[in-house]
Amino acid sequence: MTYREAIRAGLREALRSDPRVFLMGEDVGRYGGAYACSRGLLEEFGPERVRDTPLSESTFVGAGIGAALGGMRPIVEVMTVNFSLLALDQVVNNAATLRHMSGGQFSIPLAVRMATGGGRQLAAQHSHSLEGWYAHIPGIKVLTPATVADAKGMLLAALQDPDPVFIFEHAMLYPMEGELDEDAGAADISQARVRRQGNDVTLITFGGSLPKTLEAAEQLASLEIEAEVVDARVLRPLDISTFLTSVAKTHRVVIVDEAWRTGSFAAEISAQIMEQGFDHLDAPVARICAAEVPMPYAKHLEEAALPQVGIIVKTVQGL
Amino acid sequence: MTYREAIRAGLREALRSDPRVFLMGEDVGRYGGAYACSRGLLEEFGPERVRDTPLSESTFVGAGIGAALGGMRPIVEVMTVNFSLLALDQVVNNAATLRHMSGGQFSIPLAVRMATGGGRQLAAQHSHSLEGWYAHIPGIKVLTPATVADAKGMLLAALQDPDPVFIFEHAMLYPMEGELDEDAGAADISQARVRRQGNDVTLITFGGSLPKTLEAAEQLASLEIEAEVVDARVLRPLDISTFLTSVAKTHRVVIVDEAWRTGSFAAEISAQIMEQGFDHLDAPVARICAAEVPMPYAKHLEEAALPQVGIIVKTVQGL
Amino acid sequence: MSSRSLDLQGVSTTFTLTGEFEMQNIDINTIAQSDLQAVKQNHALTLLHEMLRIRRFEEKAAELYSLGMIRGFLHLYIGEEAVAVGAMQAFGQQDRIVATYREHGHALARGVPIRSLMAEMYGKANGCSRGRGGSMHLFDAGRRFYGGYAIVGGGLPIAVGLALADKLQSRPYVTACFFGDGAVAEGEFHESLNLAALWKLPVLFLCENNLYAMGTALARHQSQTDIAMKAQGYGFQGEAVDGMDVLAVEKATRRVADWVRQGKGPYLLEFRTYRFRAHSMYDPELYRTKEEVERWKERCPIATFQTWLRQQQLLADTTLAQIEAAVDHEIEDAIVFAEAGPSEPVEDLLRDVYTQEG
Amino acid sequence: MSSRSLDLQGVSTTFTLTGEFEMQNIDINTIAQSDLQAVKQNHALTLLHEMLRIRRFEEKAAELYSLGMIRGFLHLYIGEEAVAVGAMQAFGQQDRIVATYREHGHALARGVPIRSLMAEMYGKANGCSRGRGGSMHLFDAGRRFYGGYAIVGGGLPIAVGLALADKLQSRPYVTACFFGDGAVAEGEFHESLNLAALWKLPVLFLCENNLYAMGTALARHQSQTDIAMKAQGYGFQGEAVDGMDVLAVEKATRRVADWVRQGKGPYLLEFRTYRFRAHSMYDPELYRTKEEVERWKERCPIATFQTWLRQQQLLADTTLAQIEAAVDHEIEDAIVFAEAGPSEPVEDLLRDVYTQEG
Ligand SMILES: Cc1ncc(C[n+]2csc(CCOP(=O)(O)OP(=O)(O)O)c2C)c(N)n1
Ligand SMILES: Cc1ncc(C[n+]2csc(CCOP(=O)(O)OP(=O)(O)O)c2C)c(N)n1
Ligand SMILES: [Mg+2]
Ligand SMILES: [Mg+2]
């Protein structure tokens, strides 16, 4: 089963099991979703529960918040993180604040999904990795499924959560094949997960960079460096303890994050590891991030701009 | 002269000296600016050059970009950073990218000013500190004037810059008194600045937290701890070398940043200091940031949520 | 003014009288014809009472602001009371209200307890938002009062979503969404009206056109100043109503609220009104003349309504004095309540960021 | 179709014939009456040539995409050629053009060299955006072609700003802003029309209504589907034009461009057209029927124009063959140019993020 199919299975399960759940977003219905995640759902659940919206990100995200306030369990698909900038006011100023500024009177059980990331030569306006921005906002939760199991499990978990949850699906992962237990339910969304054991160095990553990092770890293994690969999974609230446990063992850390380096979420992870694991560190925590450039279209330039297996291997070797 | 008056002086000088300069934004004209920065300018320069806009942040910021492309030198005032979320698409996807994605054919000499920060009991939707987000974006520059001299000098520097420059004026600073040389021109916008010398610890901060940090340094001095206070001033491009010079001397760092801790710009500064100054550090870099909560209205809660002098002093003592 | 009438005809079978502390539903069909005049008078006096309550509450709030007891931003509704009070008559307990940062009037007219409101503005834990929200963020889940939005235009998508929830759950409720003329320029106005109309959602868009967005006059922020007419661009109806006439507001709102409740889609009302005070407590009001303000004050919704009530023999001096006394007493009581209210412990700073589970 | 005419009357004193590689300005007053028929024929053939050029360029681009030579998103304009070609006739060299991500047609019709366009899509350093932009981000400063916006609606505020710059500098230029029907739902459409009208800016809003925003039909994203009419909500004029008729497009655009140029404020044209191909190369087109597409193809702007030209004795078979040959040759040449083009060195990855000074 692919990552895309896992999302579709999650959507279907959610729509089947809870009448309060509905899906809305641009082209989720007749088109089947820009990334085909919702193909077939309109036919199964009808246009009331699988709703195509006009191009108006701010309003349909806001409407998702309102519908959640009104007793529904909306799943809002913002086609990509790039367009979510248009809805950021609703996220920061309403989704994240309404509970607090009403003194706890309201919960907003809203799940928002969006594709993120670069790698498909879509250039400067269509290649952002802004999940780190979202992770800055108290009041929401931020998930970055990097496996087929998490693609479904995190969606179901988001729907069980009483608060707004933002799910970032890396666009390069949709065709990825992986295992999925037929009746796997909601995933745990409180913890990071060690995806590969190792004693020599800790590689921390999330989302679209996980496959690259695992591949780098394989290459490192052939160089007799055993890397432990930790998938952060949940950027807010961040599970720092899993990182620290690994660092206490390996004493070296490299963080891989597809966002621009300056102000990346990798910086946050780096800072926290220093703050809490300073004495375990034998070397400064290293970051591998995107080059600080609006994403160029040309293939070789985009490849050079993004974290790649080679640079991960080289960075670890140079620690 | 106050910080507010310095901004006004800068605006006036810019409007007088360059016919391509004009100011636009909500209530910059007849109202005189929400923070009174532009009071009197409509009378002096007329409604063509001091333009009240409708409430439509995305469009008037975008129009600023367009006007810059068309040969003008616009100054756009977005009343506060809180409302700038509505314009973030124009910032990220147009202002920051147009030069690059046109292969260098266009420059966008645009200056955008906005008030930022908390401290006035304006609660969850009106107290954001998001300059760290802006500093994540390659293609723009990000300034945080913390002194009366920088309030004017940075504006003039922004207008000489061929690229989009975002200026964050902390709302608590407007009434602050300070020195300003009558004919002070554009400020340097490439470097951080040491605002107080000291050998025992480096306190790095910017914007509205500078006065608090300087006050903390005074209190520390009476405790026989000499703190060096570095004002980052420019968040992008970041002048890390000034920080490192100080750290090499003091071996201890505390960063004060009014943003929420997770994903704060303080994390970036912390990570870079570790990356480049690891061997100089005697203790992990510490951060003092806002509590991770939508800003509460009640005075005592807001005070508890924001960095304060007391906690800076205590943190340094505990290093 | 004298052409106004208190018309209960054509109103749905129940209508709501909003009292100070509670809301009562009276079934109009059970009222004997002979009692109707009393009901009418009672209702009219309630409207007056409600408006006075808002007026005095805010006058006091302004005083308390000068004293530093209330802080942050404070946006007074003085001059616009007829809008909130008149409109709110049209909504039942299950209907939903979305307002702006200038929402003391809406909260009071909706029945949010004055004590909890005052305590909120004092930043106390017994405030309607536990002191977390302040003047701009009043909430009351029990009264379906959904705030309190300080980003101009930001409440409209929320209202659309609330209405969508009702439609999806086949509930006959209306979501009333108040916003200012300034919000009309924002993209979310456009997007929200389109979505509400496209999906035939039960939202009532209620524009409080007080002719200014902060210091920017309507004609300086709208290329086309007829706001009611804008609904046509989305294929539905809008109309302008005299927002200084509480009865006109009530009548129009009742009528179109019923229309919306019947599932016919959204409706836009533009209330033409005026703010007598500054935009906020910081505003030096450089953008309008004293004369203009004075001219509008002659149309004060409270004074003119009182005059009319007197003309109709519906208001005796003693009654007015009683109402004023009741209002004063209520406000004093609210202040006592607020002053005595506990402050949220600082240790609880982080509460209510996420929902506490289990 | 036969009711169309090539009308040069009422056009400003200069009009523009867009050639393949350059733009010529001809002063109509200097043309002898006897030469006018030749000019007309020449112009008509230019229109045909331009449309064919776009059609063949894109057909080739689709092939090259399947071969992996062009990558990223590729949005074809096939079926809509009459809009870009017809409209572009109305603009002089100093006018400014803002387009969308479906802008090959606009770039070509504007005179952006086909070589630099093809090279751009190959991601080469000799591309019109140095290979940084790709299909969705074509730019050409010399031809005042300002891109190339892939965030729907994102180009409108830019166009408003360009027009503001011209107005502030008292220049008689028009900014032409192309966008799709989908963009009409975005808040920026509303905000931009309001601002342009409020400030009487010389912007010509050109909506390419191809009845779909990706897979969402017009009636599913607009509560009121008459787009031209929406200008009224902002106090200016709009009108709908048959976007499959290149002459109708040219005529209407010339007329209103003059109007805008005279400082009378913005204007909205809605071109009713249709996209024959999928939204992008990924689109399985589940949302519309083959029959619908076939029906629209009968109105192909190129085929119908050819028929009409033949009826008017303006197009000989040999001429058409010559044009087709010239187009083929030009495209082959562009491919050679693109394939031979240098790649930007990876060391230059960070160039053009900021302006190099000094
Ligand atoms: C998006 C946004 N931009 C700017 C502001 C600052 N601001 C607060 S109120 C206001 C004017 C709003 O006018 P209107 O909608 O007419 O409401 P009124 O204050 O007249 O009731 C402005 C500009 C804001 N709160 N939100
Ligand atoms: C703000 C935004 N939301 C979503 C998208 C994804 N998207 C790209 S094109 C498109 C449809 C646009 O339709 P329309 O404006 O009619 O232009 P057309 O493609 O028909 O030419 C969508 C939804 C986008 N690019 N930008
Ligand atoms: Mg107003
Ligand atoms: Mg379209």
Side-chain angles (χ1 to χ4, degrees):
Chain A
M1 177 177 283
T2 63
Y3 186 91
R4 170 186 291 116
E5 286 160 355
I7 292 165
R8 195 182 300 145
L11 290 169
R12 183 174 285 122
E13 193 169 315
L15 284 159
R16 279 190 188 157
S17 62
D18 187 342
R20 297 168 309 173
V21 171
F22 69 100
L23 173 67
M24 71 173 156
E26 288 159 15
D27 289 306
V28 296
R30 280 155 195 88
Y31 192 98
Y35 294 94
C37 291
S38 48
R39 195 170 295 169
L41 300 184
L42 173 68
E43 292 70 18
E44 183 171 348
F45 299 100
E48 287 293 297
R49 299 188 67 204
V50 179
R51 308 182 76 90
D52 284 324
T53 63
L55 278 140
S56 44
E57 287 75 6
S58 198
T59 287
F60 68 73
V61 169
I65 300 167
L69 280 172
M72 303 298 290
R73 290 280 179 281
I75 305 173
V76 174
E77 176 177 311
V78 181
M79 200 178 281
T80 77
V81 68
N82 311 288
F83 319 140
S84 81
L85 290 168
L86 290 163
L88 216 37
D89 168 64
Q90 287 293 335
V91 175
V92 173
N93 283 319
N94 286 343
T97 61
L98 276 166
R99 175 163 190 80
H100 185 79
M101 68 186 187
S102 68
Q105 291 182 72
F106 300 103
S107 291
I108 300 168
L110 168 70
V112 179
R113 302 169 41 239
M114 61 187 94
T116 188
R120 305 198 308 146
Q121 287 189 251
L122 303 184
Q125 295 185 332
H126 274 61
S127 304
H128 297 302
S129 287
L130 295 171
E131 44 274 31
W133 274 12
Y134 283 81
H136 181 50
I137 311 166
I140 67 170
K141 297 185 178 174
V142 177
L143 314 181
T144 53
T147 66
V148 170
D150 273 350
K152 180 180 175 197
M154 285 185 158
L155 175 62
L156 296 180
L159 287 166
Q160 289 174 7
D161 200 284
D163 295 316
V165 179
F166 289 75
I167 307 177
F168 292 85
E169 302 163 0
H170 197 288
M172 298 295 282
L173 298 180
Y174 287 121
M176 179 179 67
E177 293 277 349
E179 298 291 297
L180 183 63
D181 201 353
E182 256 302 285
D183 33 56
D188 165 86
I189 54 166
S190 68
Q191 288 186 309
R193 199 153 290 163
V194 175
R195 298 288 182 196
R196 183 187 193 283
Q197 308 271 350
N199 287 317
D200 299 330
V201 62
T202 299
L203 305 181
I204 300 174
T205 191
F206 53 87
S209 298
L210 180 62
K212 292 177 185 176
T213 307
L214 285 168
E215 196 186 320
E218 288 310 307
Q219 294 191 12
L220 286 165
S222 70
L223 299 166
E224 321 235 310
I225 300 173
E226 288 302 331
E228 180 140 306
V229 177
V230 185
D231 176 4
R233 296 180 72 245
V234 183
L235 303 193
R236 176 175 280 271
L238 188 66
D239 170 24
I240 183 78
S241 67
T242 300
F243 304 157
L244 293 173
T245 306
S246 182
V247 175
K249 185 169 69 169
T250 65
H251 310 295
R252 289 178 148 71
V253 190
V254 176
I255 305 164
V256 185
D257 176 357
E258 198 183 301
W260 295 305
R261 183 186 190 84
T262 301
S264 60
F265 199 70
E268 178 63 33
I269 297 176
S270 172
Q272 287 200 32
I273 289 174
M274 174 161 47
E275 283 157 6
Q276 299 179 51
F278 192 65
D279 296 336
H280 293 304
L281 289 174
D282 285 350
V285 176
R287 288 185 286 166
I288 298 170
C289 299
E292 310 241 356
V293 58
M295 194 62 74
Y297 160 70
K299 189 175 172 61
H300 65 297
L301 296 177
E302 184 182 46
E303 273 172 6
L306 290 171
Q308 304 294 355
V309 174
I311 181 79
I312 303 175
V313 171
K314 228 167 92 181
T315 303
V316 171
Q317 287 179 296
L319 274 187
Chain B
M1 177 178 283
T2 63
Y3 185 91
R4 172 185 290 116
E5 286 159 355
I7 292 165
R8 195 182 301 145
L11 291 169
R12 183 174 287 122
E13 193 168 314
L15 285 159
R16 280 191 189 157
S17 61
D18 187 342
R20 297 169 308 174
V21 170
F22 69 100
L23 172 68
M24 70 174 159
E26 287 159 16
D27 289 306
V28 297
R30 280 155 194 88
Y31 193 98
Y35 294 93
C37 292
S38 49
R39 196 170 295 167
L41 298 184
L42 173 68
E43 292 70 17
E44 183 172 347
F45 299 101
E48 287 294 298
R49 299 188 66 203
V50 179
R51 308 183 76 92
D52 283 325
T53 63
L55 278 140
S56 45
E57 286 76 4
S58 198
T59 287
F60 70 74
V61 169
I65 299 168
L69 279 173
M72 303 298 290
R73 290 280 177 282
I75 306 173
V76 174
E77 176 177 311
V78 181
M79 200 178 280
T80 76
V81 68
N82 312 289
F83 318 141
S84 81
L85 290 169
L86 290 164
L88 216 38
D89 168 63
Q90 288 293 334
V91 175
V92 173
N93 283 319
N94 287 343
T97 61
L98 275 166
R99 177 167 186 78
H100 185 80
M101 69 187 187
S102 68
Q105 291 182 73
F106 300 103
S107 291
I108 300 167
L110 168 70
V112 180
R113 300 169 41 240
M114 60 187 95
T116 187
R120 305 198 308 145
Q121 287 188 252
L122 303 185
Q125 296 185 331
H126 273 60
S127 304
H128 298 302
S129 288
L130 294 171
E131 45 274 31
W133 274 12
Y134 282 81
H136 181 50
I137 311 166
I140 67 171
K141 297 185 178 174
V142 177
L143 314 181
T144 54
T147 66
V148 170
D150 274 350
K152 180 180 175 196
M154 285 185 158
L155 175 62
L156 296 181
L159 287 165
Q160 289 173 7
D161 200 284
D163 296 315
V165 179
F166 289 75
I167 308 177
F168 293 85
E169 302 163 0
H170 197 289
M172 298 295 280
L173 297 180
Y174 288 119
M176 179 179 68
E177 293 277 350
E179 298 291 296
L180 182 63
D181 201 352
E182 257 301 286
D183 32 55
D188 164 86
I189 54 167
S190 68
Q191 289 186 307
R193 199 153 289 163
V194 174
R195 298 288 183 195
R196 184 189 193 283
Q197 308 271 350
N199 287 318
D200 300 330
V201 63
T202 299
L203 305 181
I204 301 173
T205 191
F206 53 87
S209 299
L210 179 63
K212 292 178 184 175
T213 307
L214 285 168
E215 196 185 320
E218 288 309 308
Q219 294 190 15
L220 285 165
S222 70
L223 299 166
E224 320 234 313
I225 299 173
E226 288 301 331
E228 180 140 305
V229 177
V230 185
D231 176 3
R233 296 180 71 246
V234 183
L235 302 192
R236 177 177 278 270
L238 189 65
D239 171 25
I240 183 77
S241 68
T242 299
F243 304 158
L244 293 173
T245 305
S246 181
V247 175
K249 184 168 71 169
T250 64
H251 311 295
R252 289 179 148 71
V253 189
V254 176
I255 306 164
V256 185
D257 176 357
E258 198 184 301
W260 294 305
R261 182 185 191 83
T262 301
S264 60
F265 199 70
E268 178 62 34
I269 297 175
S270 172
Q272 287 200 31
I273 289 174
M274 174 161 47
E275 284 157 5
Q276 298 178 50
F278 193 63
D279 295 337
H280 293 304
L281 289 174
D282 285 350
V285 176
R287 288 184 287 166
I288 299 170
C289 299
E292 311 240 356
V293 59
M295 194 63 73
Y297 161 70
K299 188 176 172 59
H300 64 298
L301 296 177
E302 184 182 47
E303 274 173 4
L306 290 172
Q308 305 293 355
V309 175
I311 181 78
I312 302 175
V313 171
K314 229 167 92 182
T315 303
V316 171
Q317 287 180 294
L319 274 186
Chain C
M1 200 65 171
S2 58
S3 72
R4 295 186 305 184
S5 76
L6 189 55
D7 180 9
L8 299 181
Q9 230 66 49
V11 163
S12 67
T13 49
T14 65
F15 71 99
T16 305
L17 295 183
T18 311
E20 293 95 307
F21 298 111
E22 60 198 303
M23 305 203 309
Q24 312 157 247
N25 280 308
I26 295 176
D27 186 340
I28 207 171
N29 298 318
T30 67
I31 301 175
Q33 197 55 32
S34 58
D35 291 340
L36 207 49
Q37 181 60 19
V39 169
K40 280 186 183 182
Q41 177 171 19
N42 188 2
H43 181 64
L45 292 177
T46 301
L47 296 178
L48 177 65
H49 190 151
E50 288 296 311
M51 291 197 289
L52 270 169
R53 218 167 144 249
I54 296 170
R55 175 73 53 99
R56 300 287 175 259
F57 177 87
E58 290 205 317
E59 286 166 351
K60 183 56 84 176
E63 264 177 53
L64 292 165
Y65 194 88
S66 321
L67 297 172
M69 306 307 291
I70 296 174
R71 302 173 67 108
F73 280 155
L74 184 73
H75 303 91
L76 301 181
Y77 195 60
I78 290 176
E80 310 185 31
E81 296 91 342
V83 176
V85 170
M88 220 58 90
Q89 306 309 314
F91 308 118
Q93 286 176 30
Q94 305 291 335
D95 293 329
R96 307 176 193 264
I97 316 294
V98 170
T100 68
Y101 48 87
R102 192 184 298 288
E103 88 284 32
H104 310 142
H106 309 86
L108 287 170
R110 180 59 178 176
V112 178
I114 195 165
R115 285 178 157 190
S116 77
L117 222 146
M118 188 65 87
E120 185 58 34
M121 289 160 67
Y122 269 73
K124 295 299 183 70
N126 57 350
C128 62
S129 308
R130 294 191 75 85
R132 307 278 174 159
S135 161
M136 301 200 289
H137 305 297
L138 307 172
F139 290 86
D140 189 333
R143 283 158 191 90
R144 297 198 169 224
F145 191 77
Y146 291 91
Y149 294 84
I151 305 295
V152 173
L156 278 83
I158 304 292
V160 169
L162 285 164
L164 173 60
D166 282 333
K167 175 154 182 166
L168 284 170
Q169 293 169 103
S170 307
R171 296 170 173 163
Y173 309 145
V174 173
T175 296
C177 180
F178 292 89
F179 55 91
D181 52 296
V184 172
E186 289 281 5
E188 282 180 332
F189 169 84
H190 170 73
E191 295 181 359
S192 293
L193 266 67
N194 183 42
L195 198 62
L198 191 66
W199 291 352
K200 275 200 158 217
L201 302 180
V203 198
L204 188 41
F205 293 105
L206 301 170
C207 180
E208 309 187 300
N209 177 7
N210 61 9
L211 298 177
Y212 289 90
M214 260 182 84
T216 304
L218 184 65
R220 292 206 182 85
H221 70 73
Q222 288 298 319
S223 57
Q224 192 280 98
T225 54
D226 182 345
I227 293 175
M229 182 268 216
K230 291 180 197 280
Q232 286 174 27
Y234 309 93
F236 66 96
Q237 294 177 61
E239 64 196 73
V241 177
D242 181 356
M244 303 308 260
D245 178 345
V246 68
L247 295 180
V249 171
E250 175 176 358
K251 197 169 156 182
T253 312
R254 279 189 189 275
R255 176 167 42 80
V256 303
D258 276 344
W259 200 88
V260 169
R261 200 183 306 280
Q262 283 159 36
K264 295 181 183 161
Y267 209 104
L268 171 66
L269 287 184
E270 173 198 350
F271 298 117
R272 300 208 168 134
T273 181
Y274 199 80
R275 138 173 86 64
F276 292 173
R277 296 291 187 102
H279 167 73
S280 74
M281 305 306 282
Y282 294 101
D283 169 11
E285 291 188 77
L286 304 171
Y287 49 83
R288 60 182 189 181
T289 62
K290 283 224 168 67
E291 294 70 49
E292 177 181 305
V293 180
E294 288 312 314
R295 266 201 317 280
W296 274 94
K297 280 189 178 166
E298 287 164 21
R299 302 204 45 222
C300 169
I302 298 176
T304 54
F305 190 52
Q306 281 181 11
T307 307
W308 180 80
L309 286 171
R310 283 217 178 80
Q311 283 167 357
Q312 305 289 312
Q313 319 274 317
L314 292 169
L315 179 66
D317 286 353
T318 50
T319 313
L320 181 60
Q322 277 165 5
I323 293 175
E324 288 272 18
V327 166
D328 286 351
H329 175 264
E330 203 192 350
I331 291 170
E332 287 312 315
D333 169 78
I335 292 174
V336 171
F337 178 83
E339 286 183 346
S343 283
E344 190 92 323
V346 171
E347 307 78 66
D348 286 354
L349 176 62
L350 300 187
R351 72 172 279 169
D352 295 330
V353 179
Y354 296 97
T355 304
Q356 209 65 31
E357 285 177 278
Chain D
M1 198 65 170
S2 57
S3 72
R4 294 185 307 183
S5 75
L6 189 55
D7 180 7
L8 300 181
Q9 230 66 48
V11 163
S12 67
T13 49
T14 64
F15 72 98
T16 304
L17 294 185
T18 311
E20 292 97 306
F21 298 109
E22 61 198 303
M23 303 204 310
Q24 311 157 245
N25 278 307
I26 295 177
D27 185 342
I28 207 171
N29 297 318
T30 68
I31 300 174
Q33 196 56 33
S34 58
D35 292 339
L36 208 50
Q37 181 60 20
V39 170
K40 281 186 183 184
Q41 177 170 18
N42 188 2
H43 181 65
L45 293 177
T46 302
L47 296 178
L48 177 65
H49 190 151
E50 289 296 311
M51 291 197 290
L52 270 169
R53 217 166 144 250
I54 296 171
R55 175 72 54 98
R56 300 289 174 257
F57 177 86
E58 291 205 317
E59 286 166 351
K60 183 57 81 175
E63 265 176 52
L64 292 166
Y65 194 88
S66 319
L67 297 173
M69 306 306 291
I70 296 175
R71 302 173 68 108
F73 279 157
L74 183 74
H75 302 91
L76 301 182
Y77 194 61
I78 290 176
E80 308 185 32
E81 296 91 341
V83 176
V85 170
M88 220 58 89
Q89 306 308 316
F91 307 117
Q93 286 176 28
Q94 304 292 334
D95 293 329
R96 308 174 193 266
I97 315 295
V98 170
T100 68
Y101 48 88
R102 193 185 297 288
E103 87 285 32
H104 310 143
H106 309 86
L108 287 171
R110 180 58 179 175
V112 179
I114 196 166
R115 284 178 159 192
S116 78
L117 221 145
M118 188 65 87
E120 185 57 34
M121 289 160 66
Y122 269 72
K124 295 300 182 69
N126 58 350
C128 63
S129 307
R130 292 191 75 86
R132 306 280 173 158
S135 161
M136 300 200 289
H137 305 298
L138 306 173
F139 290 87
D140 188 334
R143 282 158 191 90
R144 296 197 171 227
F145 190 78
Y146 291 91
Y149 294 84
I151 304 295
V152 172
L156 279 82
I158 304 292
V160 169
L162 284 164
L164 174 59
D166 282 333
K167 176 157 182 162
L168 285 169
Q169 293 169 102
S170 306
R171 296 170 173 163
Y173 310 145
V174 173
T175 296
C177 180
F178 292 90
F179 55 92
D181 53 295
V184 172
E186 290 282 5
E188 283 179 333
F189 169 84
H190 171 74
E191 296 182 359
S192 293
L193 267 67
N194 184 41
L195 199 62
L198 192 65
W199 291 354
K200 275 202 159 216
L201 301 180
V203 199
L204 188 40
F205 293 105
L206 300 171
C207 180
E208 309 187 298
N209 177 7
N210 60 10
L211 299 176
Y212 288 90
M214 260 181 85
T216 304
L218 184 65
R220 292 207 181 84
H221 70 75
Q222 288 298 319
S223 57
Q224 190 282 97
T225 54
D226 182 345
I227 294 175
M229 182 268 217
K230 290 180 197 281
Q232 286 174 27
Y234 308 94
F236 65 96
Q237 294 178 61
E239 64 196 74
V241 178
D242 180 357
M244 303 309 261
D245 179 344
V246 67
L247 295 180
V249 171
E250 176 177 357
K251 198 169 157 181
T253 313
R254 279 188 188 275
R255 175 167 43 80
V256 302
D258 276 343
W259 199 88
V260 169
R261 201 183 304 280
Q262 284 159 37
K264 296 180 183 163
Y267 209 105
L268 171 66
L269 286 184
E270 173 198 350
F271 297 117
R272 300 206 168 137
T273 181
Y274 199 79
R275 140 173 84 64
F276 292 172
R277 298 290 187 104
H279 167 72
S280 73
M281 306 305 284
Y282 293 101
D283 168 11
E285 292 186 79
L286 303 172
Y287 49 84
R288 60 182 189 182
T289 62
K290 283 224 169 67
E291 293 71 49
E292 179 182 304
V293 180
E294 288 311 315
R295 266 201 316 282
W296 274 94
K297 280 190 179 166
E298 286 165 20
R299 301 203 47 223
C300 170
I302 298 177
T304 54
F305 191 51
Q306 282 181 10
T307 307
W308 181 80
L309 286 171
R310 283 218 177 78
Q311 283 167 359
Q312 304 289 312
Q313 320 275 316
L314 291 169
L315 180 65
D317 286 352
T318 49
T319 312
L320 180 59
Q322 276 164 9
I323 293 175
E324 289 273 17
V327 166
D328 286 350
H329 175 265
E330 204 192 349
I331 292 170
E332 287 312 314
D333 169 77
I335 293 175
V336 171
F337 179 81
E339 286 184 346
S343 284
E344 190 92 323
V346 170
E347 308 78 64
D348 285 355
L349 176 62
L350 300 186
R351 71 171 279 171
D352 296 330
V353 179
Y354 296 97
T355 304
Q356 210 65 31
E357 285 178 278

